[in-house]
Amino acid sequence: MRTIVQSIEGSRAAAERDLAAARTAGNAAQIAAAERRLAATTEEVTSLSARMTELTNTAAALQTRFEATAAEEPLDTTVPSLLVAVDGGLVKLGRIGASAAAGEVLLPLASGAAARPGDWQLVTYLTPATNRKVSDQEVAWLEALRDRGMVENRFNTMFFTAGDSREPELAGIRGALVGSALTLLVTLVLCLPIGVAAAIYLEEFAPKNRLTEIIEVNINNLAAVPSIVFGLLGLAVFLSFFGLPRSAPLVGGLVLALLVLPTIIIASRAAIKAVPPSIKEAALGVGASHQQAVFHHVLPLAMPGIMTGTIIGMAHALGETAPLLMIGMVAFIVEPATSITDAATVLPVQIYLWSDLPEIAFQAKTAAAIMVLLVFLFVMNGAAILLRKRFERRW
């Protein structure tokens, strides 16, 4: 550091020379620039000199403590904790001398009798107390309870039965699960009949003209629109224009229905198109009307593909976060919603909220909620695969 200070002293001397030259030349701009540079250099020299003095004094104090072998050494919270396990109790050392040590009793001793050599054990907590969320006293209590068999690792069922909380040990995902279920219910009720009806109309009844071509192109394009755009649409239309309740599963279901609808329409059209034309032609040949041929023969055969596309669309909706954040489903919700108009949150938003909290215990809660969400997604995609394998027909 002395070398750095000497280098900066040289810079200050050069700044002083530049200032003197600028004043001799009478250039106001150069004078102002030189004065600023000199002030900054002087301030830096002063700061480094003070820091160097502080470090020198600290080094001298440490050297004095090192040489005074008979003096007691205090142990503060910035160094590893030293504890003595003796006579069924635990003592945290606060001072250590050449022949004696003193400290604070964390766990009471069974008796006050002197301990013989070999009857005590030194315990060290390597992480200093200042770098831990728990104190030495709390660690000692936990270890004592563990020795008595009162602490165990088990499946945390409260995680699924409790609502959200500011305390990580009390927080659960029940409210998020209920909110997700209600939101997906609204989404399914809206997008399944509308999507299937639109697919049947476009594939079987719509005239092949310019208008239907434009509709088909727009449906295909909507499937590639970023999800946050649907959130902005819900914010502008459902909340601002229609005045629907904010952070409600009703609004979330409407937004997700708009998001999933193109996927269901495209999948349903593909399933209907995969049915051989001979099926419909045979029905028409025996006297069935066009509507009867479509709804009694083509649609049942296309239903496995339609259900597969619907389940995949629902899985897509379950994992969406951005559109729901835009409509206000980011609120702190403790009690589960009882209807589609109550304030609620969903599992992806709950994960987002927990991941932003500073408490270290919420990291485990976030990881557990992500695992639950992944399980739901795997189950839904697995169900789609099973439906396709079980009911799909080879023509």
Side-chain angles (χ1 to χ4, degrees), residues 133-163:
K133 292 289 185 179
V134 292
S135 63
D136 292 325
Q137 180 71 76
E138 293 169 336
V139 174
W141 285 337
L142 178 61
E143 293 295 336
L145 292 174
R146 180 179 296 171
D147 292 340
R148 297 178 187 176
M150 302 175 67
V151 177
E152 59 180 356
N153 292 326
R154 60 181 179 85
F155 187 75
N156 185 12
T157 57
M158 193 180 73
F159 180 69
F160 297 93
T161 59

Side-chain angles (χ1 to χ4, degrees), residues 63 68 75 99 112 127 160 162 203 268 285 291 383:
Q63 183 66 29
L75 302 177
S99 59
T127 304
F160 297 93
E203 197 64 34
S268 300
Q291 291 83 354

Side-chain angles (χ1 to χ4, degrees), residues 357-382:
L357 294 177
E359 289 86 349
I360 194 68
F362 274 113
Q363 293 182 7
K365 295 287 184 177
T366 303
I370 291 173
M371 292 175 64
V372 173
L373 180 61
L374 288 176
V375 168
F376 276 117
L377 294 177
F378 285 142
V379 168
M380 296 178 74
N381 284 278

Side-chain angles (χ1 to χ4, degrees), residues 47-120:
S47 176
L48 289 176
S49 299
R51 180 59 178 166
M52 185 173 64
T53 302
E54 180 184 353
L55 292 177
T56 301
N57 295 334
T58 302
L62 291 175
Q63 183 66 29
T64 302
R65 288 167 58 184
F66 175 76
E67 294 173 353
T69 56
E72 288 188 340
E73 180 69 21
L75 302 177
D76 55 20
T77 57
T78 61
V79 298
S81 300
L82 296 180
L83 304 100
V84 177
V86 56
D87 200 10
L90 196 64
V91 179
K92 177 184 177 182
L93 300 182
R95 298 188 306 276
I96 297 179
S99 59
E104 173 190 3
V105 177
L106 299 183
L107 298 177
L109 280 63
S111 66
R116 295 175 299 177
D119 290 346
W120 57 274

Side-chain angles (χ1 to χ4, degrees), residues 31 47 50 54 89 100 106 119 121 145 152 158 160 164 188 196 258 294-295 302 316 344-345 347 350 370 383 392:
I31 292 174
S47 176
E54 180 184 353
L106 299 183
D119 290 346
Q121 181 182 5
L145 292 174
E152 59 180 356
M158 193 180 73
F160 297 93
D164 195 10
L188 182 64
V196 174
L258 294 176
V294 171
F295 289 101
H316 180 198
T345 188
L347 199 53
Q350 188 70 76
I370 291 173
E392 187 178 35

Side-chain angles (χ1 to χ4, degrees), residues 19-312:
L19 178 60
R23 286 175 176 172
T24 302
N27 191 323
Q30 293 182 358
I31 292 174
E35 288 178 345
R36 288 194 299 270
R37 188 164 63 254
L38 178 61
T41 307
T42 302
E43 181 180 359
E44 189 174 2
V45 168
T46 303
S47 176
L48 289 176
S49 299
R51 180 59 178 166
M52 185 173 64
T53 302
E54 180 184 353
L55 292 177
T56 301
N57 295 334
T58 302
L62 291 175
Q63 183 66 29
T64 302
R65 288 167 58 184
F66 175 76
E67 294 173 353
T69 56
E72 288 188 340
E73 180 69 21
L75 302 177
D76 55 20
T77 57
T78 61
V79 298
S81 300
L82 296 180
L83 304 100
V84 177
V86 56
D87 200 10
L90 196 64
V91 179
K92 177 184 177 182
L93 300 182
R95 298 188 306 276
I96 297 179
S99 59
E104 173 190 3
V105 177
L106 299 183
L107 298 177
L109 280 63
S111 66
R116 295 175 299 177
D119 290 346
W120 57 274
Q121 181 182 5
L122 184 63
V123 181
T124 305
Y125 297 161
L126 295 178
T127 304
T130 54
N131 297 337
R132 288 189 261 117
K133 292 289 185 179
V134 292
S135 63
D136 292 325
Q137 180 71 76
E138 293 169 336
V139 174
W141 285 337
L142 178 61
E143 293 295 336
L145 292 174
R146 180 179 296 171
D147 292 340
R148 297 178 187 176
M150 302 175 67
V151 177
E152 59 180 356
N153 292 326
R154 60 181 179 85
F155 187 75
N156 185 12
T157 57
M158 193 180 73
F159 180 69
F160 297 93
T161 59
D164 195 10
S165 174
R166 297 300 184 190
E167 302 296 333
E169 62 272 12
L170 302 177
I173 60 173
R174 181 186 175 192
L177 290 177
V178 174
S180 296
L182 292 175
T183 302
L184 290 182
L185 177 63
V186 174
T187 303
L188 182 64
V189 169
L190 289 175
C191 67
L192 180 58
I194 296 175
V196 174
I200 293 174
Y201 174 76
L202 291 175
E203 197 64 34
E204 297 291 344
F205 297 100
K208 302 303 179 182
N209 54 28
R210 185 75 173 175
L211 178 60
T212 56
E213 290 179 0
I214 294 175
I215 294 175
E216 291 175 359
V217 169
N218 287 329
I219 290 174
N220 293 329
N221 289 338
L222 282 175
V225 171
S227 60
I228 196 170
V229 175
F230 293 96
L232 294 172
L233 177 64
L235 176 64
V237 177
F238 299 134
L239 296 183
S240 300
F241 185 76
F242 289 107
L244 295 178
R246 183 179 296 272
S247 187
L250 175 61
V251 182
L254 289 171
V255 173
L256 293 181
L258 294 176
L259 175 65
V260 175
L261 197 57
T263 303
I264 295 180
I265 293 176
I266 294 172
S268 300
R269 291 191 65 185
I272 294 172
K273 191 179 297 184
V275 177
S278 58
I279 300 294
K280 184 173 66 173
E281 293 171 358
L284 295 175
V286 296
S289 65
H290 189 194
Q291 291 83 354
Q292 290 174 331
V294 171
F295 289 101
H296 293 174
H297 300 278
V298 176
L299 185 59
L301 295 176
M303 192 54 66
I306 294 175
M307 296 308 299
T308 299
T310 302
I311 294 175
I312 293 175

